Amino acid sequence: DLQNQYQNEDIVATISISGTPIEGIIAQAENNSYYLNHNVYKKRDYKGSLFMDYRIDALDSKKLVVYGHMSYSNATPFAHLKNYLDEDYFNQHQELIFTTEEGVSTYKIFGIAVYSSDYDYMNVSFNNKGEYLNNLNRYIERTRFYDGYTFTGDEETIFLQTCYPHQKGSYIVVGARKI
C-alpha cells in the first residue's frame, strides 16, 4: 500500500485523469499548509504535494477538494490543469480516476472555472442538501466551460485547485462528479 511504500500515514488517495499527464499521490495533513512545501516523503520541497483539504474525510465526504501547485515547467501534476482552459481539451479529457484504500472511483469532469475572489468552492460543510446544491450552482455560474449536467444535490464531487498563472491570487478550479 502507498502509506507503507512512502512511509507516510498521511497518504489518502491517488488521482489520474485519462489521456493527460495529470496523476499523483494525495496526502492530507492536519492543516492546509504543510504539503504546500513538503513532498509525500515529508521532505521540504518547494513543489509541495497534491493534498486534500484537512477538513474532509476522503472516505466519507460528499465533496472533496484537492490542492496542488502550478509550475511553468510542468514539474507538478496540477500544472496541466491549465490545459482545461481550452474547450477542446476540456471536452476530450473528462475521465478522472480517484483511488482510496476502499477502491477505485470514476468521476466525470463537468466544469472549469477561474476564481480571483469569493472562494466559495472551498466550502466543504453543508447543513443540508439545499446548501450543497447552492454551492454547486454557484460554481457552475462561474465556469468557463460546463458540460450541462443538472445536479440534484445527491452527487459526490471532487474539485481540483491550482494557481492561475495569469493573475496573482487567482485559481483554476476543475470540478468533477462521481459516475
Side-chain angles (χ1 to χ4, degrees):
D1 92 334
L2 289 173
Q3 288 183 340
N4 288 331
Q5 180 180 343
Y6 290 91
Q7 297 296 298
N8 183 347
E9 68 283 351
D10 291 347
I11 294 173
V12 295
T14 62
I15 192 169
S16 64
I17 299 179
S18 301
T20 77
I22 299 170
E23 65 179 334
I25 296 164
I26 300 171
Q28 185 178 37
E30 294 178 358
N31 59 56
N32 281 344
S33 57
Y34 182 80
Y35 283 105
L36 281 172
N37 56 19
H38 287 82
N39 62 30
V40 293
Y41 298 101
K42 293 190 169 185
K43 305 283 188 214
R44 286 196 66 77
D45 186 335
Y46 73 94
K47 292 184 289 188
S49 298
L50 298 182
F51 63 96
M52 186 170 299
D53 192 296
Y54 77 97
R55 301 168 294 168
I56 294 171
D57 178 347
L59 302 177
D60 194 36
S61 291
K62 192 179 250 189
K63 180 180 178 183
L64 307 176
V65 181
V66 178
Y67 308 100
H69 280 302
M70 163 66 74
S71 158
Y72 287 104
S73 65
N74 293 332
T76 58
F78 280 8
H80 300 278
L81 288 179
K82 67 184 178 291
N83 296 335
Y84 280 91
L85 295 169
D86 175 82
E87 191 170 14
D88 289 334
Y89 192 92
F90 170 82
N91 289 323
Q92 294 169 11
H93 301 92
Q94 294 191 335
E95 183 182 71
L96 184 153
I97 307 299
F98 187 79
T99 306
T100 66
E101 64 186 38
E102 289 194 347
V104 178
S105 298
T106 303
Y107 289 73
K108 181 179 185 294
I109 292 174
F110 66 85
I112 169 78
V114 175
Y115 279 77
S116 56
S117 65
D118 186 22
Y119 308 109
D120 58 356
Y121 67 89
M122 294 173 65
N123 293 344
V124 295
S125 181
F126 307 99
N127 292 319
N128 55 54
K129 185 164 75 171
E131 283 185 9
Y132 177 54
L133 185 58
N134 286 339
N135 182 261
L136 290 171
N137 286 331
R138 281 194 307 275
Y139 170 82
I140 290 165
E141 289 170 5
R142 296 180 76 151
T143 57
R144 290 194 180 184
F145 307 119
Y146 170 58
D147 72 358
Y149 179 81
T150 302
F151 283 87
T152 65
D154 293 319
E155 297 82 0
E156 293 179 37
T157 57
I158 186 168
F159 291 85
L160 313 178
Q161 175 201 295
T162 195
C163 293
Y164 179 56
H166 304 295
Q167 186 176 351
K168 187 174 175 71
S170 295
Y171 301 97
I172 294 170
V173 183
V174 173
R177 62 181 169 82
K178 193 173 185 178
I179 54 174

